[in-house]
Amino acid sequence: MRISLGTLRIIVLLGVFAATVLFFASQIDGYLNARLFNRISGSVAVIALIAVGQAFVVLTRNIDLSIGSVVGCTAYFTGGILMAYPDLPPLLVPLLAMLIGGIFGALNGFLVARFRLPSIIVTLATLAIFRSILVQSSDGSSITTERLPVWLTSFATQNAFSIGELQMRWIVVISVVVVLVAHVFLTRFRAGRQFFAIGSNPDAAAFAGINAGRTIFLAFVISGALAGLAGFMFLSRFGNITVVAGLGLELKSVGAVVVGGVNIFGGSGNVLGVLIGAALIDVIDTSLVRWELVSEFWREAVLGLLILTAVAADTVLMRRLLKRKTDGGQQ
Amino acid sequence: MTPVLVMRDISKSFGGTTALSAFSLTLEPGRIHALVGENGAGKSTLIKTMTGIYQPDSGEIVIDDRPVTFRGTADAQRAGVAAIYQEPMVFPDLSVAENIFISHQDRPKLINWTTMNDEAAAMIARLGVTLDPRRAAAELTLAEQQTVEIARAISLNVRVLIMDEPSASLSDHEVKRLFGIARALRDQGVAVLYISHRLEEIFALADTVTVMRDGKHISTRPVQEVTQASMIAEMVGRDMAGRFAREPSRDTGERLLNVSNLSRSGAFHDVSFHVNRGEIVCFSGLVGARRTDVGLALFGVEPADSGLVELGGQAVVIANPKQAQALGIAYVSEDRRKLGLAMTEGIAANITLPMLGKYAGAFGWLDRMRELADATAFRKQLNIKAANLTVPVGTLSGGNQQKVMLAKWLNTKPRLLIVDEPTRGIDVGAKAEVHQILRSLAAEGVAVVIISSDLPEVLSLADRVLVMREGRIVGEFAGDAATDEAVMRLAVAAEVA
């Protein structure tokens, strides 16, 4: 049976993930238990959401660096609105967060798609601008747990169901559903395939009459909206929102995307891989805190190393493939 | 027969240059119509106008007796006009089936992969080819990618298919298969416009032949009524007014460069020639004859695999441009933008770039005054027109950019100067100036090699003309004995009629 490159990638990722968990289990006493799962799954849920949004953007040969600031802003503004109107129907709140995030994303998308500005510069700028908006509007005052409705602060630990001692939190379920919906959209819908087409060959996409601007705009809106939903979860998990909320998430999201096998130059990738990438990054991140041999200050360096390895492996793989193609052409 | 597409008096110019002038063409269904012309005759502009990439300045395109306006390729596709190129435009990450159906707006929003793969396989089978529709386009050979493009075109109910040099990168076997596809399309009632430099292909394939030259329509005839000789005569036939005067040779007879059996796998084979001090040797041939590759090999950009290069009587190895420069070789690229100039930098900075060592003092500190002094001298010598020496070269005219390129390499004081397409895209006045510069360099004893697709230029400059075809030197003429017909006949491989 012929295994496609994409399937192979997922199998390799799962292997690396299993090896990582086993490694930490051998190093840290009492590592493998249900508590670990329950603790880590919540933060994986948040990272997976923003990573999926990032994947949409990266597929189109762009990048969204502003995502951490968007998470911080939506968490703060959603919290602020809830403090002012504590009686808002709970179901409306995540939608509100997605709307706020979507507006931030739309601004990014408008600048990139309409004026054809390089997304790395646009989102680097909005990363700083959105953060400043957060700092300015909070004016030093933070959102605190006790001023938020109880349903919200307890939501993050509420279970949808549990398997033995493994508790399946609602936020985890929502996150997995989002990943699955994104996967079906990207693989089974014509509109989804256009994200791949644009990233794979922008010139050919233009020749094929695909509206690249609209699709790229949409990618940034999706990225913003999912960051908004992540902001809602962030708010629910931590309650206390300060001006540093969501700081550094752009690194984690880009990391999860490339480790998950999305080509950083666009055109190929799979959000199921991105989910595993997010889980891998978060497991390493949280486990290093407990590993005594290595100072936890190395966490960022390990994440960086992981990204480098993933990109290097990917590049070598692609070169091999291209070489095979040119060799074939000379027969 | 009712024509499917008529182009009527189409004109298109860019800046001062006219690419198409009142060009007319009629395409009929179920016929293969060949279009031939020299490099720069306007074929590419014609295709881009037919497919909506360019909009004509005047004239009209008529489909089924109704005038149409194409604002982009999507418009042209809707009207049933599609083109495939030498370098296929595919999505490397997507599968064959997706590549075929990507621009179909009428398909269901939800993809049924099984159905789509089956339909793609059927579409490809109509072309008499088998190809797994699930394979990624990146894994395919060029010929297979072309097949995918053609399948995409027919899936869009193409009525006019333009094939632009489709055979240029294919093997003989693949060319045969391509011909089969073209004939199958013709039999299904498609109008095929086939563009090729290989004249023998035209006799094997086409029903009708149109010759164009300098953006003008020259003739359209049934293929039975033309011969290779008549086509070539029409492709090159210029009036003498367009020619530049020749000047006496400055050849010193002292041999500087001797090249024997130079080869690079996949590019050129057994290339042997020599150049004397003061001599101007021109490489003529069609685009794709691999003349530039020979130049790049001599400059060490893409070194040859085998063969002997002797410079001033000594065997030399040229593995990289730095070595080439040290040996006194300079190479002026045809691609000013990519390989030639730093467009955002000033004239002085560009001219001194390859020779920065000359201007560097202690700790690499650059002597700006000397840089400017040298640049000023070149500006005067070559008559470079610019407000000052620091304006970005990207803002200069093509002719002045070309002079900056020449200055940059003359500053290295070369013994051997290789110039690739010295006057492409520059106006007539600047062209004459560049020619004069090249002649005076030869008079100073520099050995000059010129690669040019511009036949009048070759005939006016060359002391000797070498003709290349498909990676080999296929003929040599003394400069005053060469005629454009004789050169073109060798370049396109026509048997002497």
Side-chain angles (χ1 to χ4, degrees), chain A residues 2 187-190 193-194 196-197 200-201 203-210 266-268 321 324-325 328-329 331, chain B residues 53 73-74 77 85 89-94 98 102-105 107-111 113 138-141 145:
Chain A
R2 207 166 137 248
T187 52
R188 299 301 298 263
F189 280 80
R190 222 177 57 211
R193 300 309 294 172
Q194 299 201 338
F196 291 85
S200 189
N201 186 345
D203 294 336
F207 267 61
I210 293 173
S268 75
L321 198 73
R324 212 171 68 197
K325 178 196 148 200
Q331 278 162 12
Chain B
I53 298 170
T73 45
Q77 261 177 23
Y85 302 91
M89 275 243 186
V90 296
F91 301 95
D93 300 292
L94 305 188
E98 280 198 277
I102 189 79
S103 42
H104 280 245
Q105 297 307 316
R107 292 183 74 81
K109 284 193 182 338
L110 180 66
I111 300 170
W113 285 95
E139 299 172 19
L140 307 180
T141 64
Q145 291 184 355

Side-chain angles (χ1 to χ4, degrees), chain B residues 215-295:
Chain B
K216 296 191 191 73
H217 177 268
I218 302 299
S219 73
T220 297
R221 292 200 193 100
V223 73
Q224 297 80 7
E225 291 177 20
V226 297
T227 63
Q228 295 206 355
S230 76
M231 268 196 273
I232 290 168
E234 289 182 340
M235 278 158 72
V236 298
R238 283 188 193 79
D239 38 343
M240 295 302 286
R243 294 212 176 159
F244 295 94
R246 281 187 59 79
E247 285 190 15
S249 169
R250 276 91 169 187
D251 184 358
T252 59
E254 183 192 341
R255 190 167 288 199
L256 176 76
L257 176 75
N258 204 37
V259 175
S260 339
N261 300 320
L262 202 67
S263 301
R264 184 163 75 78
S265 163
F268 52 86
H269 310 281
D270 289 331
V271 169
S272 302
F273 66 98
H274 70 272
V275 189
N276 296 336
R277 287 183 205 278
E279 190 185 23
I280 300 180
V281 172
C282 289
F283 277 83
S284 191
L286 299 166
V287 168
R290 301 297 191 161
R291 296 164 298 162
T292 295
D293 293 271
V294 174

Side-chain angles (χ1 to χ4, degrees), chain B residues 77-396:
Chain B
Q77 261 177 23
R78 260 191 294 280
V81 181
I84 64 154
Y85 302 91
Q86 184 183 334
E87 292 295 328
M89 275 243 186
V90 296
F91 301 95
D93 300 292
L94 305 188
S95 73
V96 168
E98 280 198 277
N99 266 286
I100 293 176
F101 292 116
I102 189 79
S103 42
H104 280 245
Q105 297 307 316
D106 53 339
R107 292 183 74 81
K109 284 193 182 338
L110 180 66
I111 300 170
N112 183 333
W113 285 95
T114 320
T115 326
M116 188 160 102
N117 287 336
D118 290 348
E119 285 178 42
M123 204 71 79
I124 295 165
R126 265 175 69 188
L127 300 174
V129 178
T130 39
L131 205 57
D132 183 351
R134 286 165 302 183
R135 283 174 71 189
E139 299 172 19
L140 307 180
T141 64
L142 272 182
E144 289 170 331
Q145 291 184 355
Q146 260 177 3
T147 311
V148 171
E149 274 204 308
I150 296 172
R152 183 196 297 162
I154 44 172
S155 77
L156 287 163
N157 296 319
V158 71
R159 301 175 57 210
V160 176
L161 182 67
I162 303 159
M163 301 171 96
D164 184 9
E165 298 278 353
S167 60
S169 329
L170 304 187
S171 67
D172 289 349
H173 174 69
E174 290 168 335
V175 171
K176 281 207 188 80
R177 197 160 65 178
L178 180 75
F179 281 11
I181 292 174
R183 290 195 188 101
L185 288 175
R186 174 191 61 194
D187 297 342
Q188 289 163 27
V190 175
V192 177
L193 181 64
Y194 190 87
I195 292 139
S196 179
H197 278 314
R198 300 181 178 171
L199 298 188
E200 73 276 9
E201 292 185 347
I202 285 159
F203 290 99
L205 195 62
D207 303 305
T208 314
V209 186
T210 289
V211 179
M212 71 185 295
R213 181 176 75 230
D214 301 332
K216 296 191 191 73
H217 177 268
I218 302 299
S219 73
T220 297
R221 292 200 193 100
V223 73
Q224 297 80 7
E225 291 177 20
V226 297
T227 63
Q228 295 206 355
S230 76
M231 268 196 273
I232 290 168
E234 289 182 340
M235 278 158 72
V236 298
R238 283 188 193 79
D239 38 343
M240 295 302 286
R243 294 212 176 159
F244 295 94
R246 281 187 59 79
E247 285 190 15
S249 169
R250 276 91 169 187
D251 184 358
T252 59
E254 183 192 341
R255 190 167 288 199
L256 176 76
L257 176 75
N258 204 37
V259 175
S260 339
N261 300 320
L262 202 67
S263 301
R264 184 163 75 78
S265 163
F268 52 86
H269 310 281
D270 289 331
V271 169
S272 302
F273 66 98
H274 70 272
V275 189
N276 296 336
R277 287 183 205 278
E279 190 185 23
I280 300 180
V281 172
C282 289
F283 277 83
S284 191
L286 299 166
V287 168
R290 301 297 191 161
R291 296 164 298 162
T292 295
D293 293 271
V294 174
L296 290 176
L298 288 177
F299 195 57
V301 179
E302 297 205 45
D305 308 328
S306 64
L308 180 67
V309 179
E310 290 165 296
L311 202 68
Q314 299 220 311
V316 292
V317 176
I318 307 165
N320 56 53
K322 204 172 164 180
Q323 283 178 2
Q325 264 188 58
L327 290 166
I329 304 174
Y331 172 78
V332 182
S333 166
E334 64 179 320
D335 192 340
R336 290 193 287 268
R337 206 154 276 282
K338 246 164 88 187
L339 299 175
L341 294 172
M343 287 297 176
T344 54
E345 291 285 319
I347 295 172
N350 267 289
I351 291 177
T352 57
L353 191 61
M355 291 294 283
L356 280 180
K358 182 177 157 191
Y359 305 97
F363 309 113
W365 189 269
L366 285 179
D367 186 345
R368 288 280 171 209
M369 295 314 285
R370 274 183 58 204
E371 266 193 290
L372 281 177
D374 281 5
T376 310
F378 276 118
R379 181 186 177 187
K380 216 172 139 193
Q381 186 196 337
L382 305 185
N383 190 24
I384 300 172
K385 294 185 195 72
N388 59 58
L389 289 170
T390 53
V391 294
V393 296
T395 62
L396 303 180

Side-chain angles (χ1 to χ4, degrees), chain A residues 22-209:
Chain A
L22 288 176
F23 172 77
F24 282 118
S26 74
Q27 296 289 318
I28 302 167
D29 287 336
Y31 182 80
L32 269 187
N33 59 27
R35 263 201 10 247
L36 174 90
F37 175 85
N38 299 338
R39 203 154 38 87
I40 287 182
S41 62
S43 65
V44 170
V46 174
I47 293 174
L49 274 185
I50 55 170
V52 167
Q54 185 76 266
F56 274 90
V57 175
V58 172
L59 277 177
T60 65
R61 242 183 228 196
N62 285 290
I63 196 164
D64 187 352
L65 296 178
S66 71
I67 213 155
S69 299
V70 176
V71 170
C73 277
T74 44
Y76 183 84
F77 289 129
T78 310
I81 292 170
L82 265 178
M83 288 199 304
Y85 308 98
D87 300 327
L88 276 181
L91 215 56
L92 212 62
V93 179
L95 295 177
L96 185 70
M98 288 179 77
L99 180 70
I100 296 172
I103 290 170
F104 284 113
L107 182 67
N108 283 331
F110 177 70
L111 291 171
V112 174
R114 179 73 178 77
F115 300 109
R116 304 197 173 173
L117 300 173
S119 56
I120 190 163
I121 301 301
V122 167
T123 57
L124 190 63
T126 53
L127 162 80
I129 294 168
F130 297 164
R131 180 66 59 186
S132 296
I133 292 175
L134 174 55
V135 174
Q136 267 310 309
S137 19
S138 71
D139 203 12
S141 76
S142 303
I143 307 273
T144 51
T145 316
E146 56 270 21
R147 296 164 68 194
L148 290 170
V150 179
W151 70 262
L152 180 70
T153 45
S154 61
F155 176 72
T157 48
Q158 262 174 23
N159 291 340
F161 59 94
S162 49
I163 308 163
E165 281 185 37
L166 297 182
Q167 298 167 357
M168 283 301 188
R169 306 257 151 88
W170 272 110
I171 55 172
V172 177
V173 172
I174 292 173
S175 198
V176 168
V177 168
V178 167
V179 171
L180 291 178
V181 168
H183 181 67
V184 170
F185 174 71
L186 285 174
T187 52
R188 299 301 298 263
F189 280 80
R190 222 177 57 211
R193 300 309 294 172
Q194 299 201 338
F195 289 86
F196 291 85
I198 286 167
S200 189
N201 186 345
D203 294 336
F207 267 61

